[in-house]
Amino acid sequence: MLETLRAQAEPTTLAALVAISGLHANTVREHLDALVRQGLARRHPAAPAGRGRPAWLYEAAGMDAAAAPEYAGLAAALAAAIHRTSASPSEDAVAAGREWGHELARERGAGPAPSAVAARREVVSLLDEVGFAPQADARSSVVRLTRCPLLEAAHQYPDVVCGVHLGLAQGALEEYGADPDGTELLPFAEPGACRLHLMRRTR
């Protein structure tokens, strides 16, 4: 559980840790309580959101806690605003993500790759740089994203946050000269990972 906590880019709730670990909530809670007692993890209440007691947020001890919660809070606020005000939150999020993907790839000096496989490998490398800890198959067609830079926001507003991440991959693929058609992101597809398909799946 400590490694799972260390892999998160922001303080994380029990519910999110249950989702990514695949363990029962009571088991996760026991592990977290033990880590807190041993000084290996910290917990603090989340900002109040409506009625009821706020959830506990957990993080590995020694993490740089100064900037991450502010960044995560900003991302969650933006995702909430898009979710609430957009007529099509998912489509708008994908469009924003595509622009971001184009920009990130251009910053890396993107140009047409020699093959679709090479283009996908460039995208996997970009995803690694921005914090997704990707694990790709040999042809980089299926990628396990084992870390989410915005895990809490993704749990609250998956249509927006996961839409942005899908668009990021699509925009980057285009910058490297590959066809993004058929790209698909399956949020929380397995314990501890989302699954990104960088080419159309055969059904």
Side-chain angles (χ1 to χ4, degrees):
M1 185 54 59
L2 182 57
E3 289 307 312
T4 302
L5 269 185
R6 284 176 174 157
Q8 308 315 310
E10 60 185 2
T12 308
T13 62
L14 172 69
L17 291 166
V18 167
I20 63 176
S21 69
L23 299 172
H24 190 276
N26 289 340
T27 303
V28 174
R29 187 180 292 109
E30 288 173 9
H31 283 292
L32 291 171
D33 288 346
L35 290 172
V36 170
R37 284 194 305 272
Q38 295 166 20
L40 297 173
R42 295 189 297 259
R43 73 175 189 175
H44 57 86
R51 300 168 67 179
R53 190 184 329 172
W56 287 108
L57 294 175
Y58 294 87
E59 62 183 333
M63 291 176 62
D64 179 7
E70 292 177 11
Y71 174 67
L74 172 61
L78 291 172
I82 294 170
H83 180 83
R84 185 177 61 253
T85 61
S86 170
S88 182
S90 181
E91 289 180 19
D92 288 346
V94 170
R98 280 181 98 124
E99 290 182 22
W100 188 28
H102 280 285
E103 181 180 335
L104 289 174
R106 283 194 294 265
E107 287 175 359
R108 301 174 84 237
S115 68
V117 173
R120 292 194 298 270
R121 286 179 179 152
E122 289 289 352
V123 173
V124 172
S125 177
L126 186 155
L127 292 170
D128 191 35
E129 289 174 11
V130 294
F132 287 94
Q135 297 174 352
D137 64 6
R139 297 177 54 79
S140 293
S141 56
V142 180
V143 185
R144 295 176 70 247
L145 303 176
T146 64
R147 185 173 184 263
C148 179
L150 296 170
L151 184 62
E152 282 305 310
H155 272 281
Q156 291 178 302
Y157 307 104
D159 54 341
V160 177
V161 176
C162 301
V164 168
H165 293 161
L166 171 60
L168 188 163
Q170 291 174 337
L173 277 173
E174 288 178 322
E175 282 294 321
Y176 287 107
D179 183 0
D181 189 40
T183 306
E184 184 180 15
L185 177 61
L186 305 175
F188 314 111
E190 58 185 271
C194 300
R195 195 176 305 124
L196 175 66
H197 294 263
L198 291 177
M199 60 184 293
R200 187 180 297 281
R201 288 194 289 169
T202 53
R203 307 283 180 183

